[in-house]
Amino acid sequence: MVRKLKSRKQNKREGSSLVSVIIGVVFLSAIGLTVLTVASKYLVTVLVDRNSADNFYQTEGILEEVRTGLLEYAGDASKEAYTKVLENYTAEKASMKEVYAKKYLSELAKKINDNHTVYTEEDIKNRAGELIPCSSSVLDKLKKFSTVPDAVQVKAGSNLQLVTNYDSKKGYMLTLKNLLIDYTDSSGYRSTINTDIVFRVPDYKFEGDSTFDELKDYISISDDMLSVDSMANIKTSFTGNVYSGQKDSGIQIAPGAKVDFNSKTIISRGSLDVFTGAQVKVQGESGAGDLWLQNIRLKKYGDGGSDGNQTKFHMNENAYISNDLNIEDNSTDVTLEGKYYGYSYNKQNLSSASEKANADYSSAILINGVNTTLDAANLEKMILAGRAFVSQNKKTGKSLTPEESDIMTGESMSVKSNQLAYLVPDSFIPGEHNPLATAELTDTAEASIKANLLNSSNGLKDYLDAAEPYVANYNSAGYVFLFLHFKNEASANQYFKDFYTGEENLTVNDEDGNAINSREQLAEKAQSYLVSSDMGNSSFSGNLYLIAGNIVYNYEATNGNLGMQSANYYDSSGKPQTVLLDDGRKMALSYLGRCLNLLSSGSEERKKRQSDTNESDAEIEDIRLNAMDFADPYKLVSGKIIDVSEVNNLTNTITTKDDSTTGGRITIVKGAHTISSDSKGIVIATGDVTVDADFTGLILSTGQVKVTGNHTLKADMVLVGNLLEIIKKDEDLCKIFKALNGGAAQDSTKLEKCVSYQDWKKNEQ
């Protein structure tokens, strides 16, 4: 019985354990199921988020593909704008960034808009804030930037637009608006990005000063002469800008040399001298260039030119000539095309009576050599603000002082033989001949000549200076020529016109008392000088040709008035027109600035030096080059561009640095240097440079640059620009350029940092 009861109790406990186990298993199963459910949901969420994130990253990648494609446009536009600024810009460097910004954004908008112009350069500013629709083909171009072209779209309900803005801190900006990237992947995941793309302008520093920026366009810059040696039948050519600092013969072409200048700009502080037998052609790289000189002189070498040894000068330029075109040589063939500005009336281009007329400050064209052919048929415009003068020598044989004047004529373009028009007529002189032996010009003779000239019945009195109606001009052979002395410029003009056109009161008689046709006499005398007496049939129109005196351009005209170009530089009262004098002053200051700094604005530099030089206000405000401008501190290469002391501090006599990218070489020389093999790069020398081979790049010399002939010299803006960048970043080389202030320059803003997103929105349509 007891055993049975124990057995039942044990069985009851075993059943209870089983229930507990079952309950436990069920509980654990419930927990496991819950955990599995939660885990499954978490896993699904993780997978969805990961796939969504992957999809979004791919969507961002598509946007970056579009941005990268647009960066290529930005790079091309930046390069083109930067090149144009460096090639053409001549104003103050403070504005260069703005000029570049407008060119860059204008060109960039055009490239984005399927090469259709959106903005002119001025529109970048003037149309700021205005939304401009893009061409319908732009979206197709953007699609091509991406590997998933269908994802590149436009924001719903809008179209692609361009707009410019200006911020005082960030500058000009261009924005491409309403871009949408909508991407669905193969698993069905989708992301969208709405954004605008903003293009800021790279912060190019345009390092150095304006003169430094101009260097890239030059082939030769020297403080002394640029010369080409005599090489008969062999041609030397220059392609690129040229500067020389010699104050007399700035550019010299030797006898027999053949030279072509293809230069956008030629500047010389002195004259362009072409010697007997040389053949010279001067023009721009395409069309007319700018030529800034003191004089153009065709000079004799030995006995001068002949039919078999003819000098030829062909100019197609905007020529700004401070003084004269002087054809001194015989048998010359001169062709003038383009525009010729002889802008000087007197030293300061003022109508003030205190400024005496002076041949050095009076622009004219002088034909002093026999057998001259002067062809101006294709000359577009000519201004001759001055007049021809006859050089005067005093009885002592000394030249004039600056306060004295040469003998004034009434012509702006003068043939030497026309001097006979200004000689005192023989009949007014005791003994009736002109010239006289020096001993013949006694006090009694002078009194008689003066009385005769001022006699009211002879027709000359009204033109002449009552106090001094004639000028005695002595020569070394013991003779004295007597010339008429006019009371003012307008009287000189009127006298020559009346003389040439045969006014009755100016009848000239021969030794037998017979009247001479003065026009025929001038024509006959001119024949030995002018082969082409009508200047190549050039038509001189009054609104194109402004002259201070008169020009006889056709000695064969049947009527004197038909061959005469009358002065129109004067107003109705006989005074020079103020507007023309002012234009001449502007040209003179522009020439001065270029001589000092390569730029028209360079004349302002002179005003900054007064405290250092003790120059007077008159000297500082002088519109002409003066003695101080040629002092060492104010020479262009040694005073403005190169620090000679830093060159001398270099260890080696010749320092070189190569650029593997361009194949160019930087060569810095203490003293003289010879370029003896074909090369390219930058040559800097503190002495003369002789070029005895072809050369591409830039030559900077504190002395002369001498080309031996039969060589080609070319400027290369890209090559020189790259080499200057190397110099800027070299701690030793950068010291030799004064504009770099001895410190290596930093890079400009990276272009990729200038392209950003604006109004960026994720998964909004």
Side-chain angles (χ1 to χ4, degrees):
M1 190 67 179
V2 172
R3 288 182 178 174
K4 289 182 179 180
L5 289 173
K6 287 181 178 180
S7 176
R8 289 177 181 172
K9 288 182 180 179
Q10 186 175 357
N11 290 338
K12 287 181 180 179
R13 287 197 298 270
E14 289 176 354
S16 175
S17 297
L18 180 60
V19 170
S20 297
V21 169
I22 292 172
I23 292 172
V25 169
V26 171
F27 179 73
L28 290 174
S29 297
I31 292 174
L33 181 61
T34 301
V35 170
L36 286 173
T37 300
V38 172
S40 297
K41 289 183 178 180
Y42 175 75
L43 181 60
V44 169
T45 301
V46 169
L47 291 173
V48 169
D49 287 348
R50 188 186 70 181
N51 290 335
S52 295
D54 287 345
N55 175 269
F56 179 70
Y57 293 147
Q58 292 178 67
T59 305
E60 279 191 321
I62 295 168
L63 178 59
E64 276 299 300
E65 288 176 337
V66 174
R67 178 179 177 273
T68 300
L70 291 171
L71 262 174
E72 185 175 342
Y73 286 161
D76 291 342
S78 176
K79 181 179 179 181
E80 291 174 22
Y82 189 78
T83 299
K84 288 177 181 177
V85 170
L86 294 182
E87 284 181 340
N88 303 310
Y89 196 70
T90 58
E92 290 298 325
K93 64 175 182 177
S95 301
M96 290 184 78
K97 289 183 180 180
E98 182 167 352
V99 173
Y100 163 74
K102 291 178 179 178
K103 288 182 182 293
Y104 165 59
L105 294 182
S106 174
E107 188 61 35
L108 175 58
K110 180 179 178 181
K111 290 182 181 297
I112 292 173
N113 198 42
D114 204 18
N115 286 322
H116 298 301
T117 300
V118 181
Y119 303 98
T120 65
E121 290 171 23
E122 289 308 311
D123 284 343
I124 297 297
K125 178 180 180 181
N126 297 337
R127 300 181 69 180
E130 179 183 344
L131 294 171
I132 299 178
C134 292
S135 171
S136 58
S137 60
V138 173
L139 182 59
D140 291 334
K141 291 181 66 175
L142 299 184
K143 286 177 177 293
K144 292 178 181 179
F145 293 146
S146 175
T147 55
V148 190
D150 291 341
V152 182
Q153 301 178 24
V154 179
K155 184 178 178 181
S158 62
N159 60 349
L160 292 174
Q161 296 173 315
L162 290 168
V163 62
T164 62
N165 293 99
Y166 179 78
D167 182 275
S168 59
K169 293 182 179 179
K170 297 180 180 179
Y172 289 99
M173 294 171 283
L174 174 71
T175 304
L176 176 64
K177 298 183 70 66
N178 302 325
L179 182 64
L180 169 67
I181 306 298
D182 188 341
Y183 174 59
T184 302
D185 62 23
S186 59
S187 300
Y189 290 95
R190 179 188 178 198
S191 297
T192 63
I193 298 175
N194 279 307
T195 190
D196 301 335
I197 298 182
V198 181
F199 302 87
R200 290 189 295 107
V201 178
D203 184 23
Y204 282 112
K205 298 180 176 62
F206 296 99
E207 289 92 350
D209 59 12
S210 299
T211 300
F212 185 84
D213 294 326
E214 289 293 307
L215 299 182
K216 301 178 181 68
D217 288 325
Y218 280 78
I219 178 63
S220 174
I221 302 177
S222 60
D223 281 339
D224 208 308
M225 180 191 303
L226 169 67
S227 66
V228 179
D229 263 6
S230 176
M231 294 289 289
N233 300 316
I234 295 175
K235 183 175 289 186
T236 296
S237 66
F238 295 84
T239 301
N241 295 350
V242 169
Y243 174 96
S244 75
Q246 222 273 4
K247 66 179 179 179
D248 180 25
S249 187
I251 301 174
Q252 189 175 103
I253 312 301
K258 291 184 178 180
V259 183
D260 282 356
F261 288 95
N262 301 289
S263 305
K264 184 163 53 177
T265 303
I266 296 175
I267 304 167
S268 175
R269 293 190 180 192
S271 302
L272 168 59
D273 288 340
V274 179
F275 284 87
T276 299
Q279 298 181 28
V280 178
K281 188 173 184 179
V282 186
Q283 61 182 7
E285 292 184 47
S286 58
D290 289 340
L291 181 64
W292 297 88
L293 303 168
Q294 285 290 334
N295 299 278
I296 300 172
R297 301 185 296 204
L298 278 63
K299 306 185 78 170
K300 283 185 180 181
Y301 180 78
D303 295 331
S306 61
D307 290 343
N309 191 25
Q310 192 176 38
T311 302
K312 294 184 178 182
F313 179 75
H314 185 163
M315 183 194 80
N316 181 17
E317 295 279 18
N318 298 314
Y320 302 90
I321 309 302
S322 179
N323 196 13
D324 299 330
L325 165 57
N326 191 351
I327 304 172
E328 304 173 22
D329 197 12
N330 302 327
S331 298
T332 56
D333 187 343
V334 179
T335 301
L336 301 180
E337 297 180 27
K339 299 173 183 177
Y340 186 97
Y341 298 89
Y343 52 82
S344 295
Y345 169 70
N346 56 23
K347 187 174 182 181
Q348 295 297 328
N349 263 42
L350 299 172
S351 59
S352 169
S354 62
E355 278 204 59
K356 284 199 172 187
N358 188 305
D360 290 339
Y361 305 107
S362 191
S363 296
I365 294 179
L366 311 174
I367 302 169
N368 291 313
V370 297
N371 298 324
T372 296
T373 299
L374 179 57
D375 181 357
N378 294 318
L379 193 65
E380 299 173 30
K381 182 174 185 178
M382 181 167 69
I383 292 177
L384 292 176
R387 64 187 60 251
F389 285 78
V390 177
S391 297
Q392 184 187 356
N393 291 304
K394 297 187 291 185
K395 186 174 182 178
T396 59
K398 294 180 180 179
S399 299
L400 301 179
T401 65
E403 290 74 29
E404 297 176 292
S405 176
D406 286 311
I407 300 168
M408 181 170 55
T409 75
E411 304 161 84
S412 290
M413 180 184 293
S414 179
V415 179
K416 185 176 182 179
S417 57
N418 283 3
Q419 291 181 16
L420 67 89
Y422 306 101
L423 290 172
V424 174
D426 291 354
S427 58
F428 288 47
I429 303 171
E432 297 190 349
H433 56 87
N434 190 2
L436 295 80
T438 301
E440 292 181 275
L441 192 59
T442 63
D443 291 344
T444 301
E446 290 199 79
S448 175
I449 295 166
K450 182 175 181 179
N452 289 335
L453 288 173
L454 297 179
N455 188 315
S456 59
S457 64
N458 64 34
L460 287 174
K461 178 182 177 181
D462 292 340
Y463 302 102
L464 303 178
D465 184 331
E468 188 182 359
Y470 74 93
V471 175
N473 195 23
Y474 296 84
N475 69 15
S476 58
Y479 291 95
V480 56
F481 290 82
L482 305 184
F483 284 86
L484 300 175
H485 183 228
F486 303 102
K487 59 185 177 183
N488 53 40
E489 293 92 337
S491 295
N493 295 347
Q494 190 62 44
Y495 167 80
F496 181 73
K497 181 178 181 180
D498 291 345
F499 181 91
Y500 181 73
T501 55
E503 287 293 316
E504 291 184 4
N505 64 337
L506 287 177
T507 299
V508 178
N509 299 319
D510 62 18
E511 61 273 12
D512 298 323
N514 300 315
I516 295 173
N517 186 317
S518 53
R519 178 162 50 86
E520 290 181 359
Q521 187 183 43
L522 290 183
E524 179 184 357
K525 294 290 185 182
Q527 286 177 2
S528 63
Y529 289 87
L530 283 171
V531 174
S532 176
S533 57
D534 63 355
M535 293 184 63
N537 297 311
S538 177
S539 175
F540 283 69
S541 170
N543 61 348
L544 290 178
Y545 294 80
L546 302 173
I547 56 177
N550 293 284
I551 292 177
V552 178
Y553 66 90
N554 188 351
Y555 287 94
E556 306 304 323
T558 56
N559 181 303
N561 286 309
L562 296 178
M564 172 74 69
Q565 169 65 46
S566 298
N568 56 3
Y569 205 86
Y570 295 89
D571 60 25
S572 57
S573 65
K575 297 286 186 180
Q577 296 184 42
T578 301
V579 64
L580 298 176
L581 290 174
D582 288 345
D583 282 346
R585 283 183 62 84
K586 290 175 183 177
M587 290 181 190
L589 284 169
S590 184
Y591 173 51
L592 175 64
R594 285 174 165 85
C595 287
L596 297 178
N597 274 17
L598 300 180
L599 298 161
S600 60
S601 57
S603 59
E604 295 298 317
E605 290 289 318
R606 188 193 264 171
K607 296 179 180 178
K608 300 175 183 177
R609 77 189 193 203
Q610 190 169 28
S611 60
D612 299 326
T613 61
N614 296 317
E615 291 173 86
S616 66
D617 289 341
E619 289 173 313
I620 288 293
E621 294 171 4
D622 191 350
I623 65 173
R624 312 286 175 176
L625 288 164
N626 59 36
M628 186 60 71
D629 296 320
F630 292 95
D632 286 340
Y634 307 108
K635 292 179 179 178
L636 184 63
V637 178
S638 59
K640 175 72 177 176
I641 300 174
I642 298 300
D643 190 331
V644 175
S645 64
E646 291 293 345
V647 174
N648 292 333
N649 285 338
L650 295 174
T651 303
N652 300 317
T653 302
I654 299 179
T655 301
T656 62
K657 187 164 187 174
D658 293 332
D659 175 23
S660 58
T661 303
T662 62
R665 169 175 286 185
I666 301 162
T667 304
I668 305 169
V669 184
K670 301 178 187 179
H673 181 65
T674 297
I675 299 172
S676 56
S677 60
D678 294 359
S679 58
K680 59 181 182 178
I682 297 177
V683 173
I684 301 167
T686 59
D688 297 342
V689 174
T690 300
V691 183
D692 196 18
D694 290 351
F695 178 77
T696 299
L698 169 65
I699 298 170
L700 290 170
S701 169
T702 63
Q704 296 185 26
V705 173
K706 180 179 180 181
V707 184
T708 60
N710 192 29
H711 301 306
T712 299
L713 287 80
K714 294 181 180 180
D716 188 324
M717 186 189 72
V718 175
L719 168 70
V720 173
N722 286 340
L723 294 177
L724 289 175
E725 289 296 325
I726 290 173
I727 290 172
K728 290 175 188 177
K729 297 169 186 176
D730 188 294
E731 292 293 343
D732 293 322
L733 298 184
C734 72
K735 295 176 183 178
I736 70 174
F737 280 93
K738 292 188 175 182
L740 301 181
N741 298 317
Q746 300 299 314
D747 290 337
S748 58
T749 305
K750 297 295 184 183
L751 187 63
E752 56 267 24
K753 294 182 180 179
C754 297
V755 182
S756 59
Y757 303 122
Q758 178 178 280
D759 294 334
W760 189 93
K761 296 176 182 177
K762 173 183 176 183
N763 293 332
E764 289 187 18
Q765 296 187 46

